[in-house]
Amino acid sequence: MASSTELDSVDWRILEELQNDATLPNRTLAERIGLAASSCLQRVRRLREQGVITGSHIDVDPAATGLTLEAVVSINVRPHTRAVVDSFREFVMAQPETRSLLHVSGQADFLLHLAVADSAHLQSFLVDKLSARTEVRHFTTSVVLEQVHTRALTPPRPPRPARRRG
């Protein structure tokens, strides 16, 4: 895990703008933040060098590409060793249906987010690919009905002072 970097309010404003649109030209970003273009560019470079900004991306709507069904699969693997975890991760991330994979604590070992064309495609993935893995001991599939999210990471709020009861 990366070490924490201290960010000021200007850094957070830069991050907010870039999280909402990573394609913003530096001049536009600087204007929105209220900085000189050269200062803004220096800050963005520093945020990249410190590992705060780790990349840029675009969002693609799976349904617009024919992948109209999304699902989340809770998966248990055994034995839960480094070699098994690494091998399973490599396999899953190589599958075109994979949107993301989370290695988690709790009841499941992994949460796998899939995008597929339809229920037959989902069934094929689960039966032919996932079930065929010897380390997979159990999985439960949930179809995504709606996804609501924000990409914008915002500064943490300071804790509220405790109220004294009188």
Side-chain angles (χ1 to χ4, degrees):
M1 210 177 242
S3 62
S4 180
T5 301
E6 192 167 324
L7 303 173
D8 65 19
S9 61
V10 175
D11 293 330
W12 278 108
R13 290 187 62 212
I14 289 170
L15 292 174
E16 182 178 14
E17 291 292 337
L18 290 177
Q19 286 176 103
N20 288 323
D21 184 358
T23 65
L24 277 178
N26 183 62
R27 182 180 313 272
T28 304
L29 177 61
E31 288 172 5
R32 289 184 183 180
I33 304 301
L35 287 178
S38 59
S39 297
C40 186
L41 186 58
Q42 284 178 330
R43 281 183 176 256
V44 170
R45 284 184 179 151
R46 179 180 52 80
L47 291 168
R48 286 187 190 279
E49 289 167 2
Q50 293 176 333
V52 175
I53 297 175
T54 58
S56 303
H57 75 279
I58 61 168
D59 285 325
V60 176
D61 179 2
T65 66
L67 302 173
T68 59
L69 182 66
E70 294 186 68
V72 176
V73 186
S74 302
I75 304 164
N76 291 98
V77 296
R78 291 293 175 265
H80 197 158
T81 63
R82 174 62 61 194
V84 168
V85 166
D86 290 348
S87 172
F88 182 73
R89 180 187 319 111
E90 187 177 320
F91 162 76
V92 168
M93 295 310 295
Q95 304 310 305
E97 295 88 353
T98 298
R99 300 249 355 205
S100 64
L101 178 68
L102 300 168
H103 187 194
V104 297
S105 64
Q107 256 187 331
D109 297 320
F110 290 96
L111 297 176
L112 172 59
H113 180 194
L114 301 171
V116 295
D118 52 30
S119 61
H121 186 179
L122 177 61
Q123 180 185 24
S124 174
F125 179 89
L126 297 173
V127 173
D128 300 333
K129 292 183 178 182
L130 196 58
S131 292
R133 299 292 296 193
T134 58
E135 71 271 29
V136 173
R137 293 296 176 241
H138 176 77
F139 63 86
T140 303
T141 306
S142 300
V143 171
V144 175
L145 300 176
E146 179 182 29
Q147 183 181 32
V148 181
H149 64 89
T150 179
R151 285 176 299 286
L153 186 64
T154 57
R157 294 185 179 144
R160 297 195 313 189
R163 292 182 136 180
R164 293 178 53 147
R165 295 181 188 248

